[in-house]
Structure formats: structure tokens, C-alpha cells
Amino acid sequence: MSRIQAIVNGRKVEADVEPRKLLIDFIREDLGLTGPHIGCDTSNCGACTVLYNGRAIKSCTMFAVQADGAEILTIEGVSTDGKLHPLQQAFHENHALQCGYCTPGMIMSSIDLLTRNPNPTEEEIRLGISGNLCRCTGYHNIVKAISSVAKSHIFVSPLKKAKEE
Amino acid sequence: MTESVTLHREETKNVKWVGSRYPRKEDLRFVTGNGMYASDIRIPGLAHVAIARSPYASAKIKGIDKSKALEVPGVVAVFTGEEIVAELDPLPNLLPSPYDKVKDYGIAVDRVRYAGEPIAVVVAESNYAAWDAVEQLEVDYEPLSPVLTAKSGCEKGAPLVHENVPTNVVWQRKFTYGDVDEVFKTADLVVSKKFKWHRFTSAPLEPNVVVVDYDKRHVIFNIWSNNQRPAFNQAAIAKALRIDANRLHFISPDIGGGFGIKNENYPYIILLAVAARRIGRPVRWIETRTEHMVASAHGSEINYEGEMAFSRDGKILGLRAKAYHDEGAYMRREPIAAFNFIRHATLTYTFRNLEMDIYAVVTNKCPVGPNRSYGKMQQGFLVERLLELGAKKLGIDPIEIRLRNFVSSEQMPYETPTGAILDGGDYSRALKKVLENMDYAALVKERDRLRSEGKLAGVGISMGMDACPINFSSNRLINPKSTASGESEAAWVKIDEDGNISAAVGTSPQGHGHETVVSQIVADVLGVHPEQVYALPGFDSWTHPSTPHSGTYASRFAIAGASAVNEAARRVRGKVLRIAAFALKEDVENLELADGSVVSTKGKGKVPLKEVARLAWRDLANLPEDEEPGLYSNVIYKTPFKLPIDSQRGNFSLTYSYSACVVLLEIDPGTGVSRVKRVGIVEDAGNQINPLIVEGQVHGQMGHQLGAALYEDLVYDEAGQLLTATFKDYLAPTASDLPSYETGSIVVPSLFTPLGTRGTGEGGGAPLIACANAMDDALLPLGVEYDSSYLSPIKIRELVKSASGK
């Protein structure tokens, strides 16, 4: 067992983990979070996407021990003051989700995308979320939702907020 | 681009919410990470299950040594197939004798029949320990030669997939309508073609999950799963477990996509139930993606030998086809897809002569299951591809030939030769509208421009038909001993003593937004806002009503679920009005229900709904003498279906939604990779309860069908190993592989449903088929006739190379 310390959604967590435990299993099983999901075994689907020190990563591709000392943000930490993040609101308004299983990972990748590129073209949006699979929407409304947030310049990185807390 | 909706229902006065693009109520929990999926269930004492699987497509199991597995730290128990099956009866199937003798337990005993078939259930304190133990299982196999195609399975002397039945052809029937031989003899033109319909799967993003807690005190199995129709499956599960079905408590919470595949996880419910009862602890199994790909359920795989007869002026005279269906190793219930042609055999066209000769063959591959649009897209593909070839030979424009053959809107309702009664629609308007929306002439010009740049490019059009739901009397055509008929759905609506409105339906949605549409329907009937209606999420057999047909499959909600909840709300409304009439000393006819109150149109005052609720539940002496207390209605809606007309005809669906699609695609001759440049579709789903959600379903069909047409393929090698078992090899398309969709709709209400709606979720395969027609068009300059539903970039590259070498 290895002892790890991390900041998850602005909260300090400490735990003993098996060295082989995947970060996604730590987040879901040990921390009890239900936002990040598992949809594949090969790091293709992106349902487990979280922000790791500010960048989107697939938490099935990292070990929990690698999160020692890191800041992790999951979908649960994205809305603040009881208000949905603009991306969450846009996904709702544009019907950019059906079963909702890919949604948390999709939104985390979108945050990463808009943080790095606040004014993406449609092609850049499609490329930016191409690490996340959706089987329900055919992506049409997801692209529309991300584009609507970018176009109205209402994107704010949730990272800043998490840090302040 | 939806044209105006004319609702033909009784209470049109209050229609406010049905027909509106109401954003979904479910979304809040999903966008915040608070969805509750089966893998999110936490139960104290939970043990974890991993399933050991066969590496061989066909082999004898000579022995299993579990001693080393049992030594793995954290292991609780290991159950071999033999130990599990000792507590089970085989799963029922629909086949006529002797093929009903095929034994299927969901786990192998002494013989494995496909690579990935379960052979043992391992239970441990953690998922990691369970997988460690699976690796330590020692299994002694004697490999046998596998049957890997339907055609080879039909051959004399082919190895038997199931030893206790005479052949691998487990179901065979020839259906003949009209004078097929005569029209083929006298036709001006007959086109013949062999087609391959490739194996693919809708692969929902959430894999299968089952959690079972056996409650010894009450002798109840509590079952959390992502099964999309638990009430439908409960009889089969109970029979296999040798218990009464009322001892099964099913909970399907939020489901991460289903597409038919999750009808088929019930064998795992049975395996987990046995394990939970044996160890006296709750158990959980979460399928891995690889397991899902090798062993859940695949879409069907077919070899067609098709012929179509035409008159010189392009009228279709008849269709004749042989269809060899590769069903995989087990035939669960019906011959999947093989029989389904009958619901929409002639698609949107008027031809009356038809022969389908069908062979359902078991092979040593993953069993096939119902996969979005199953049977519909395949029959559409056969008809549309042959029609396209005929048009080319006759020199008739592909649009013109379709217009010449459509059933016209004046002919509706129209009975097809197989007995399907088309419930209204305007096929030519749909086709013309999509061509207009897409500026077809510009699309063709763009294709020609791409060709002039040395690209391979093609334009394709197609119709699709989504027949739904299922009249189970069709089972009688599969097995004359079947006694099933019709289908039904249950719903209840309740107003409690404080005036809170709740509603529940038996449909187990998987992202379809039923909480939203149920709220819209109830809100209109009861004159309230949708936010004032609480629609129960998911499905729980102890709180939700159900019938043996309940569930979300076969695009049935807009017919059965919507009708059931509409009727339950109407009955509650009737009671509200009666109680209010008594309180106001007014006639019911003079009352209106709107904005949360019952109002007299003759000025005799009003009663808030909340006050009616108080009277109904609390102030019983002030109720009319003969009125039962409470405001509650539980309705079982019977979809109006009849028995078959004869041994090969009947109306086996109630509504027939349809779409017209046009595609422009481009193939890179250097890599063989295809891309859809533009795609447009016009769909008629009848009256749309929520056009936002219907449009989302159309987008979803598009994603699945373009993916299947251009990227997704389940490939087996010559030993029966699946080569595309992960998302690295099975290329589910990403956002950058797909274009945006140009969608539109027309609304011709269904003649047969109370709300004028049609089922529409699955779609009829039009985008996939349009891609096939566009591929054919693109490969034309190479002199290649496209003959499958998918061709890999490598194969396309080979075609390009051999053509340029000519």
C-alpha cells in the first residue's frame, strides 16, 4: 500500500492505495464520486476524463499513486455557488446529452479545449473532443453546445474557482 | 425545419406542452455527475465478480482446476459452469422442435461455442483480486474446428455447433407473396446481386452491469442492472432460476445507452443471482469493453442473394431473395432480424410480388441480438440497393425511379403484401424535401468537382422505414405453437393529498428523456406546468407499473408508453372534474381544467387542484356518494393489434415512420478512407411530443449508421477470434470523423395512435443505406459494383489499385 495525498475538487484527500490501482478506480470506489465513468479498457472513450493539474487526462490511464500531490478536478467540482457552469448549461439547452454517460468526460475535455483555445472553429471543436466517444448524440448537439459557449464569450475556467476555495 | 404540428387528440384546448421543444428534466443530474447508473450502486458487504471466458471458438472442456484460483488473496468463491448450471433450467427460446432443445444457460458446461463464452464465475473482495483469480484458473480444452459463416454452417458435413440438434440451420422458412415466378419470367429487366450485410454493434458507452443482493429473509432477489426491459425478461429469468417471478425485484436506474444490446444481458442476471444466493452476499459484475465486444450481443450478419424484377418504365415488379443469417452460437428467443423483414418487406414501395427464403444458422461466434433498427435497415438495404442497380441499368434517375414506385399519400392506410398496414405518410414529399434542403443539384456538382480533383466521390439517396412496436402474434409465424399476441404498456398517474402530481411508466429508458415527455403529456391533460409533474426515473418493479412487454425497445414509447400515461392522466382528470363539479354544484360539461384550477365556464366559481386533492383524500364525507376516494389511475394500454391474417401475413407493427436521406461522400484513393462530406435527412415521426428529443434521436441514428457504414466492423479471424475487440480496433466514430447533420421533418400524423405519434428512435437505416448507394456511385469510375454494407479502407485501396492497374 502507498500513502497518497491529493486535492480533489478543492478538498484535501489522503488514502492508502494499492500501487496498481487506477486513478479512475480510486476516484469512483475510494472517494465515492459518480461523475467520471468507465467505458473502455484502452483509453479510447474518455468517459473517465478529469483535469489533472489543470489539463484533461484519462483517469483510467494513470495510477492513483501518480495523483500524489496533484490537483484533480472532476465534473462534481465544476459548478459553483449552486450555479451550473456555462458548459453544463449549454449542454442542457442544446440537448447535447442523451444517456449522460459520456457527458462528464465530454464536459471536462471541453473545459480543457476552451481554456487553451477560447475561439475554436467547428473543426477545432471536433478535434478537441475526439478523445471522447459518444454513442447517443452523433456529436451534432455537443459541437453546437461548445460552440455556443465559445461564441458568447461566457466561458470561465472552473480551475480558478476551485483554487480560491 | 419542422412543419406545423396538427394534433388530433380530444383535449386540444389545453395542448401547450406536447409538441414543444421542452429541454430535458433529466439533464441536471447528468451534467453535474450525479447520474445514478448501476455501477454507482453501493451496498455494504458487496463482493466483486469477474467472469472467466473461453479463448476458443469451439472446444470441449475436459476439466477445470480451480485450486490455484482459490488461493489468490481476497477470493471468496469460484463457480464453474457445471456448478452454476446445477441450479438452473435452460433459457427458453422460440424455436420450433427439435431446435427448442438447444441448451443455453448463459455459461458453458462441457463445451464452449464461441470465443468469449463464460466458463466460470469468480467472486472476490475486489475487482482486482477477482481478475487475479481468473488468471489462475486452469482449464483443459480440446479445440474443435469452428463454424464461422452461415453459408459454411449450412454445408453437408459441417461440424455441429449444438450436438443435440440435427443441423446448424435452426430455423428456415420461405415466404412467398403474389406470383413471383411469373413476374420474374416476364419482366423487362431482372437485376441480381449478392450482398454482404456486415456484423457491427451499437456498443453503448456504458458496458453491461449487474448487481444482485439475495434477501434470504424475504426470499427475494434484489437486482440492479442496466437491462432495458427487465419486466419483459423476468419470466425467462424466473424460469431459469426455478423460482416464482414475483420473487424478483428489478431496478434499472439510469442506463448509459442500450440500443437493444442491453435487452440481452439477462443471462448475467441469472449467473449473478446464483452466485449471490450461494455466497450469501451481494455481488456486482461490471463488464469490460473487451468483454462487451466479444460476448454481449452483436448486430446481425447476413449474406443476401437478391433479385429484383422491373418493367421498362422502372416499376418494381418483384423481389426475390435468399438470406443466410449468421446468428452466432445461441439463438436467444427469436431468429433475430431474420424474420423481421416481414414488418416492412416492401419498404415505401408498391410492389406486390415477393419471395424471401430465410436460413437462420448458428455459428461459433458471439450470439446476435437486437441492435438498433435490426431487421429494418437490413431489409431496406436489400430493397434500396437492388432498386439502385435497376435504375442504373434502365437509365432512370434514382429520384425518378423512387417517385414512380412510392405508395402515395392517397393510398393510405395501405396494406402491403405481407399484411402490414402503413399508417399514413407522404413518401414523395419527404424525398423531395430532403433534396430541396440539401440542394441536390449543387451536391451533384460538388461530387463532380471532387472527381475532377482526382478524388473518388459519390452521392447516394435512400429511404428508410422504422416499423414499431412489435405485435407479438408475429411469433406464431416463427413457431406455430406460440400463443402470444399483441403488446401493452402500463402507467400510473397520481395526485396526492397536497396536490403533488406523480407519474410512472414501465419503460426503463436509456437516455430517451421519458421523464420529460411524460411530464409534458401529463401537464397538458391536467392543465399544469411540466415542472409540477414528477415522473419517476428509471424502472423499479416495486414502484413502477409494468406488463410482460414493458421496456424501451422497438421504438415503442411514443406509441405504448405515451398512450398509457395519456390515458392514466385522462382518467385522473375525469375524476378531478367530477369531484369539482360536486363541490361547485356545477355540471362537468361546464368545467375546464387549466393553470392548476378547475373553473366553471358559467361563472359558478373555481376550485384549485390542491383543494380537489384534499377533498379526494382527506374530506371523504364531502365526496359524491359513489366516488372512490383518492386521485390515482393505473392504466394498462393495449396496442390495437390483431392475430395474423394467415400463416405468412399480418400487421405486426402499428406505426411506420420513415425517412429520406441523401449523402455526399468522398474516398481518399491513397488511403481508402471514406468521409461523409454532407448528409441530410427528412423524417416523419408523426406528431412529435418533443421535437428536440426526436431530433436528438435522428442525430443518434445518424451517428450509429454513418459509423457502421464507414468505420465499424466486427472482424473474426479464421480461428474464430474477434480481431476488433476494443475501441482501438472497433472504430466507433469520433466527433472529427463525422459531419454536422442537416435534419428536417414533415408531420403527417399517424392514423392509428391516440396522439398521432409514431415510434421513431431506431430509424430505418436510411443514412447507412444512402452511404452504400454513395459508395457505389463513388466506385463507379473504377468499374466496381459495391456489394456490401461496409468495406474496409484496405479493401477499398485494393480495389483502387487493381482498377488503376487495368
Side-chain angles (χ1 to χ4, degrees), chain B residues 21-75:
Chain B
R21 296 172 71 91
Y22 197 84
R24 297 200 321 170
K25 296 174 78 175
E26 299 72 350
D27 289 352
L28 183 66
R29 65 177 184 271
F30 294 130
V31 297
T32 53
N34 288 303
M36 174 56 74
Y37 301 89
S39 58
D40 297 325
I41 303 292
R42 300 284 179 269
I43 307 173
L46 189 68
H48 301 258
V49 167
I51 291 175
R53 296 175 184 275
S54 165
Y56 293 104
S58 180
K60 278 186 185 151
I61 300 178
K62 297 175 79 182
I64 300 178
D65 181 356
K66 55 186 191 179
S67 55
K68 277 190 190 155
L70 285 167
E71 283 167 20
V72 170
V75 164

Side-chain angles (χ1 to χ4, degrees), chain A residues 18 20-22 25 28-29 33-35 37-42 44-45 47 75-76 79 84 88 91-92 95 97-104 107 122 126-127 129-130 133 135-141 143, chain B residues 23-24 27-28 30-33 37 39-40 42 128 132 201-203 205-207 255-257 259 284 288-290 510-511 692-693 696-697 699-700 704 712 726-728 732-736 738-741:
Chain A
E18 245 191 292
R20 66 170 170 169
K21 180 171 265 185
L22 299 175
D25 288 332
R28 289 184 51 81
E29 304 294 325
L33 295 176
T34 56
H37 296 133
I38 303 173
C40 73
D41 337 316
T42 48
N44 285 85
C45 83
I75 189 73
E76 283 93 341
S79 58
L84 292 181
Q88 291 173 315
F91 269 59
H92 167 59
H95 188 33
L97 60 146
Q98 290 180 28
C99 81
Y101 199 75
C102 77
T103 311
I107 291 179
E122 181 183 331
R126 288 183 178 273
L127 209 58
I129 57 166
S130 64
L133 295 179
R135 296 295 278 169
C136 293
T137 67
Y139 305 106
H140 184 97
N141 286 344
V143 174
Chain B
R24 297 200 321 170
D27 289 352
L28 183 66
F30 294 130
V31 297
T32 53
Y37 301 89
S39 58
D40 297 325
R42 300 284 179 269
Y128 289 77
D132 288 346
T201 168
S202 291
L205 198 59
E206 177 203 35
I255 298 179
F259 317 119
R284 180 177 82 177
T288 66
R289 175 56 51 190
T290 306
Q510 311 115 47
L692 186 71
I693 289 176
Q697 289 294 319
H699 291 167
H704 268 133
E712 302 177 27
T726 72
F727 281 146
K728 286 236 183 297
T734 69
S736 59
L738 295 174
S740 57
Y741 313 133

Side-chain angles (χ1 to χ4, degrees), chain B residues 60-134:
Chain B
K60 278 186 185 151
I61 300 178
K62 297 175 79 182
I64 300 178
D65 181 356
K66 55 186 191 179
S67 55
K68 277 190 190 155
L70 285 167
E71 283 167 20
V72 170
V75 164
V76 176
V78 177
F79 302 111
T80 63
E82 196 176 359
E83 290 167 304
I84 298 261
V85 160
E87 301 184 23
L88 295 179
D89 281 342
L91 292 166
N93 73 40
L94 245 187
L95 300 174
S97 178
Y99 295 95
D100 57 340
K101 308 282 185 306
V102 166
K103 282 209 169 70
D104 177 8
Y105 295 96
I107 190 164
V109 183
D110 46 12
R111 162 128 190 237
V112 291
R113 296 185 172 84
Y114 65 99
E117 182 168 13
I119 57 140
V121 173
V122 174
V123 193
E125 297 296 344
S126 77
N127 196 28
Y128 289 77
W131 281 111
D132 288 346
V134 166

Side-chain angles (χ1 to χ4, degrees), chain B residues 8 412-414 422-425 655 748-754 756-758:
Chain B
H8 72 143
M412 297 289 180
Y414 176 86
L422 304 180
D423 65 317
T655 71
V748 181
S750 169
L751 297 168
F752 304 138
T753 55
T757 50
R758 285 193 184 87

